[in-house]
Amino acid sequence: MYAFEYHRPTSLSEVTGLVSGKEDAKIIAGGQTLIPTLKQRLAQPSDVIDLGAVAELHGIREEGGGLVIGATTKHAEVAGSDIVRRLIPELAELANGIGDAQVRNRGTLGGSICNNDPSADYPAALVGLNATVHTNKRTIPAEEFFTGMFETALELDEIVTAVAFPKPGRVGYAKFPNPASRYATVGVLVAEVDGAVRVAVTGAGPVVFRWPEAEQALSSNFSAAALNGLTVDADGLNADIHASAEYRANLVAVMAKRAVVRAAG
Amino acid sequence: MTSVSLKVNGKSVTREVEGRTLLVQLLRDHLGLTGTHVGCDTSQCGACVVHVDGESIKSCTMLAVQANGLEVTTIEGLAAADGTLHPMQAAFREHHGLQCGYCTPGMVMSAVDLAKSHEHLDEKTVREGLEGNICRCTGYHNIVKAVLAGAEAMRSQPAQAAAE
């Protein structure tokens, strides 16, 4: 790991002050991606700004009937939260399937979505549940937040503060985990939000995407059978040593059906 | 250099470290607590698991400065002062939950957290709970047996389990 200057601010205004003056600064929350990246010398930040002591970025609350989760809230906290279990229990299940127990004790919601790994679970949750990302400057609809592989709509000095989820109807999430990393080879979240069905797919493409044909089919018949015969084009999907694009395309349909079964169950 | 003050196995310590110093380096290289192992150094194997404020974490994936003001428990902090093994350690010995022993400190630390955070443990919960700990010798069979027995023993010896 290259040397860097470490900062531990205690307020959001202190964070923004530190970030704006430093072009090569990196923000650390749980560090479950950043620290391995630094160890491999894939990044060389001049400064590392730790959000761990900024209380206003942390916590889970009910607001306007929906759920607001602070950026530095850990996966284990989402998984174990009574509020999440009551309002969106499938979101707690999703969080409980990220990485392993030790990663869930450190990794955060904000860190995961800002990194925007194409195989991460949370992007499917945010897009599928029509969430809104709150930053220190504005609010961004989830679909506009995730712009490309490891790319987001965030500006250089912009910081995610929280994510707001409206209360959904039925929700189901199913993923085919990579057996070593538990990242989603393909993960599909199916949800009823404001009377419409949304189907969000992670792991399959360079960035999370919706599957409109499946949404249409499920709108008239919310059952796994409604997806029979629907296929996803493998063109442009991810291919690596774990799964070809064609295999991922097939997994999208399989995981979508399993997600519907979970949602309906 | 940054000053970091924390409690390790009940004792207050203060050290000067670089920002990039990992918690596991602080424990092993600065404090001489070499019971915590480094296996993969890529956050996958779990040999470096310790407790920070009671929760199991991978100490190769946390900066030492991030532990400032917190309480860390390592494998050296589990046994009683007179050398009596923690119930989970005793269960690993009794059920032969190890072969080469390299992964064992992390396995035991994860298992203690798992036992504390679940009222009831079954085999499935234990196997899922140990997903972050890799053993390349045993096939996990005896480890799972040891964790189930250790958790049971922790429930029947609450005084000792609370002491660590």
Side-chain angles (χ1 to χ4, degrees):
Chain A
M1 204 183 308
Y2 295 110
F4 53 78
E5 190 79 25
Y6 174 80
H7 306 268
R8 194 172 175 83
T10 53
S11 71
L12 186 56
S13 57
E14 210 183 324
V15 175
T16 51
L18 281 166
V19 171
S20 62
K22 297 178 178 68
E23 225 171 80
D24 294 325
K26 274 273 182 200
I27 288 185
I28 190 168
Q32 299 305 285
T33 298
L34 181 60
I35 292 176
T37 305
L38 293 174
K39 287 204 287 192
Q40 292 179 68
R41 295 192 165 181
L42 295 173
Q44 191 174 4
S46 59
D47 299 79
V48 169
I49 301 161
D50 189 350
L51 300 183
V54 184
E56 62 204 281
L57 296 177
H58 182 259
I60 299 169
R61 64 181 192 273
E62 189 174 355
E63 199 174 281
L67 192 61
V68 177
I69 303 180
T72 60
T73 307
K74 297 177 176 86
H75 308 322
E77 293 171 324
V78 174
S81 159
D82 290 339
I83 303 175
V84 180
R85 293 264 167 203
R86 178 162 50 81
L87 292 175
I88 318 179
E90 192 71 346
L91 184 61
E93 291 296 328
L94 178 146
N96 203 39
I98 298 172
D100 55 51
Q102 287 71 40
V103 168
R104 292 192 292 273
N105 278 339
R106 291 291 300 160
T108 67
L109 168 63
S112 172
I113 66 169
C114 291
N115 187 52
N116 194 15
D117 190 297
S119 295
D121 297 285
Y122 270 130
L126 267 67
V127 169
L129 293 165
N130 200 19
T132 305
V133 179
H134 292 243
T135 78
N136 57 325
K137 296 181 170 184
R138 54 184 168 147
T139 58
I140 310 171
E143 276 188 272
E144 294 167 27
F145 180 82
F146 302 105
T147 54
M149 192 178 269
F150 296 108
E151 298 283 340
T152 68
L154 288 176
E155 292 161 16
L156 265 182
D157 57 347
E158 193 170 15
I159 294 149
V160 170
T161 55
V163 177
F165 298 87
K167 176 149 174 53
R170 291 178 285 187
V171 184
Y173 179 65
K175 77 165 162 176
F176 190 86
N178 176 303
S181 69
R182 309 286 163 189
Y183 268 110
T185 304
V186 167
V188 178
L189 188 128
V190 174
E192 293 173 322
V193 185
D194 297 327
V197 177
R198 296 170 71 94
V199 178
V201 181
T202 190
V207 65
V208 61
F209 62 88
R210 287 173 71 182
W211 186 14
E213 292 84 357
E215 293 179 353
Q216 207 169 4
L218 293 169
S219 296
S220 47
N221 176 13
F222 196 83
S223 73
L227 300 175
N228 284 342
L230 287 188
T231 54
V232 174
D233 190 355
D235 202 28
L237 294 191
N238 299 337
D240 53 29
I241 56 165
H242 306 295
S244 66
E246 291 74 19
Y247 183 56
R248 277 191 165 85
N250 184 62
L251 277 180
V252 173
V254 176
M255 291 304 123
K257 284 181 184 175
R258 288 186 190 175
V260 172
V261 169
R262 279 186 67 89
Chain B
M1 302 288 270
T2 309
S3 179
V4 56
S5 296
L6 64 163
K7 262 194 178 171
V8 179
N9 299 331
K11 288 182 199 140
S12 298
V13 295
T14 299
R15 289 290 186 280
E16 292 290 317
V17 297
E18 288 188 272
R20 62 178 167 174
T21 303
L22 298 167
L23 177 58
V24 71
Q25 293 171 323
L26 173 69
L27 295 171
R28 287 179 56 87
D29 304 341
H30 297 232
L31 302 175
L33 295 169
T34 52
T36 301
H37 291 168
V38 178
C40 67
D41 205 25
T42 55
S43 331
Q44 296 174 74
C45 80
C48 68
V49 169
V50 302
H51 294 181
V52 174
D53 279 1
E55 290 182 343
S56 60
I57 61 100
K58 292 182 174 174
S59 62
C60 83
T61 312
M62 181 169 177
L63 301 174
V65 283
Q66 291 182 297
N68 192 41
L70 306 182
E71 290 195 25
V72 175
T73 306
T74 71
I75 190 74
E76 289 93 339
L78 282 191
D82 67 359
T84 306
L85 292 181
H86 182 280
M88 191 60 78
Q89 292 174 303
F92 267 71
R93 184 169 68 178
E94 173 66 24
H95 294 274
H96 197 62
L98 64 147
Q99 283 182 27
C100 85
Y102 198 88
C103 71
T104 312
M107 285 285 178
V108 170
M109 297 311 286
S110 290
V112 169
D113 186 17
L114 192 63
K116 280 182 175 174
S117 52
H118 290 80
E119 274 176 35
H120 173 73
L121 278 183
D122 54 22
E123 184 186 332
K124 183 169 182 286
T125 315
V126 171
R127 288 187 182 274
E128 285 175 0
L130 293 179
E131 276 176 355
N133 294 80
I134 295 173
C135 168
R136 297 289 79 160
C137 302
T138 68
Y140 302 94
H141 189 69
N142 283 359
I143 293 175
V144 174
K145 275 204 286 191
V147 175
L148 288 169
E152 191 57 42
M154 280 169 68
R155 264 190 294 279
S156 55
Q157 303 169 42
Q160 190 183 344
E164 39 85 9

